[in-house]
Amino acid sequence: MSDTFAFDAATEERARTILKRYPEGRSQSAVIPLLDLAQRQAGGWLPVHVIEYVASYLDMPKIRVLEVATFYSMFNLEPVGKNFVQLCRTTPCWLRGSDDLRAVAKNVTGCGLGETSADGLFTVVEVECLGACCNAPMVQINDDYYEDLTAENFKDVLEALKRGEDPKTGSQTGRTGSEPEDGLTTLTAEGA
Ligand code: FES
């Protein structure tokens, strides 16, 4: 990989749009969204020279940008697979079966936690609560959430990704959002 980096035209435009949200002199507050843009352009991770580019873009000390990049689990400091699988293992997801999901991920992708498959298709990591506990257990894969998972439907999702397909995102049991699993119990009719 080349060790030079600069935002391409589309990313530059998005960066400028983001910077407009901040008062003059406060552009460093945009460090997280700009690191996110940089990571997307760089192929899913942040090599040191990319972090340095963002530091220079925002006129920040490199160490401060590195501190941000190393603090948040959304930033990767090593290359990741095409499908970046973040398994939520915090209490609600754990109580609802995240251990089974970890076993399925290992079986289908060959990856334990923190590993990337030899074919480059998958990286599997463990993360803390992703804020979708009502639909636990869940995982995030790239930008999408897959919710109401079981060993069976999670296996189907991973197998589909392996075949290069685009599996349905969101609840895998068909419920809308975080509605009760057994159907509505209040506001069951219009005007009720
Ligand atoms: S505990 Fe998994 S989304 Fe909150």
Side-chain angles (χ1 to χ4, degrees):
M1 179 181 195
S2 160
D3 61 357
T4 59
F5 180 87
F7 285 153
D8 58 26
T11 306
E12 175 75 30
E13 193 181 328
R14 294 185 69 192
R16 291 195 179 285
T17 302
I18 288 168
L19 286 173
K20 283 186 197 146
R21 298 175 189 155
Y22 299 88
E24 195 155 341
R26 302 286 179 184
S27 61
Q28 295 181 358
S29 298
V31 63
I32 291 177
L34 261 61
L35 278 172
D36 178 60
L37 287 182
Q39 178 168 267
R40 288 170 192 275
Q41 186 185 315
W45 71 292
L46 290 168
V48 170
H49 68 276
V50 175
I51 293 173
E52 290 175 348
Y53 175 83
V54 173
S56 149
Y57 194 92
L58 292 173
D59 196 21
M60 287 175 74
K62 292 172 193 167
I63 185 64
R64 289 195 51 216
V65 181
L66 184 64
E67 283 166 358
V68 174
T70 53
F71 181 81
Y72 293 100
S73 63
M74 65 186 283
F75 298 124
N76 301 310
L77 301 180
E78 293 177 2
V80 296
K82 181 178 170 202
N83 298 291
F84 184 57
V85 181
Q86 301 181 67
L87 284 169
C88 176
R89 312 240 0 253
T90 303
T91 312
C93 282
W94 176 66
L95 287 170
R96 299 271 292 170
S98 64
D99 284 347
D100 294 341
L101 305 186
R102 181 180 54 168
V104 168
K106 175 79 177 166
N107 283 342
V108 177
T109 70
C111 303
L113 296 178
E115 294 177 354
T116 297
S117 59
D119 57 11
L121 272 184
F122 293 97
T123 294
V124 178
V125 298
E126 172 186 41
V127 293
E128 298 301 331
C129 179
L130 290 169
C133 324
C134 289
N135 295 55
M138 59 78 67
V139 305
Q140 180 176 352
I141 304 178
N142 297 336
D143 286 334
D144 293 314
Y145 276 17
Y146 297 83
E147 303 162 345
D148 295 327
L149 292 170
T150 61
E152 292 72 30
N153 63 28
F154 185 44
K155 181 167 181 272
D156 292 343
V157 167
L158 291 176
E159 296 281 13
L161 290 170
K162 213 171 182 177
R163 292 191 297 271
E165 297 169 5
D166 203 7
K168 172 183 175 298
T169 59
S171 172
Q172 299 299 304
T173 57
R175 67 168 153 161
T176 303
S178 300
E179 284 177 352
E181 281 186 324
D182 300 331
L184 298 180
T185 54
T186 59
L187 302 176
T188 52
E190 203 171 327

